[in-house]
Amino acid sequence: MAFDKDAAERLLAQVFAAWVQALDLSVEEIGADGAILRMRFSERLCRDNGGVCGQAIASLADTAMVFAVSAASGGYRPMTTVDKTVHFLRPIANADALAVARVLRLGRSMAFGQVTIVAEGDARPAATAQTAYALLAG
């Protein structure tokens, strides 16, 4: 059975820490080539200047890649972040954030990916992330 949207929504509700669930994420798309997650805009995620804080954006990128790796693997596999580099390119304010996650390489013990985050309604990247995950024995 493929890792579909229903499986992804169950994973989001059952596996992630409460503070990640508090980001109000939703799975917009899931497929063998990657995943798209939405983080709904909330003032509680903003810095004093009205922009969504980098910590929330970085967490969105990290979480989106777990779904992309799971989809590429055909199901959830326990994994842990080994490395993540995030480049913040422009602020997100008063808009939902969309994370488009793609697996660049899926090996037996490691997965590498790239995430592009945009503000809804603006195709220009607000942030990019390069990621590496260790795939753990299940």
Side-chain angles (χ1 to χ4, degrees):
M1 178 169 68
F3 186 77
D4 61 11
K5 193 169 179 180
D6 288 338
E9 289 173 356
R10 283 191 304 276
L11 180 68
L12 185 59
Q14 296 172 357
V15 173
F16 291 92
W19 69 267
V20 174
Q21 293 178 14
L23 294 173
D24 197 18
L25 305 179
S26 62
V27 179
E28 296 295 301
E29 293 180 28
I30 193 88
D33 61 337
I36 300 175
L37 265 63
R38 174 184 300 269
M39 183 172 66
R40 289 174 189 80
F41 177 78
S42 171
E43 289 184 9
R44 66 183 171 74
L45 298 177
C46 293
R47 294 179 44 86
D48 57 356
N49 65 1
V52 176
C53 70
Q55 295 93 333
I57 292 170
S59 296
L60 170 62
D62 196 49
T63 306
M65 189 50 65
V66 170
F67 287 91
V69 171
S70 295
S73 298
Y76 173 69
R77 300 174 62 174
M79 64 190 85
T80 189
T81 307
V82 173
D83 185 57
K84 176 177 58 182
T85 301
V86 182
H87 295 278
F88 299 97
L89 308 172
R90 61 180 26 80
I92 296 177
N94 298 313
D96 289 359
L98 297 169
V100 180
R102 301 283 177 247
V103 174
L104 300 175
R105 182 178 181 280
L106 178 62
R108 286 184 304 242
S109 62
M110 292 289 296
F112 301 88
Q114 181 175 28
V115 184
T116 302
I117 297 175
V118 298
E120 186 173 40
D122 187 347
R124 299 174 301 169
T128 62
Q130 297 286 57
T131 63
Y133 294 83
L135 304 175
L136 308 173

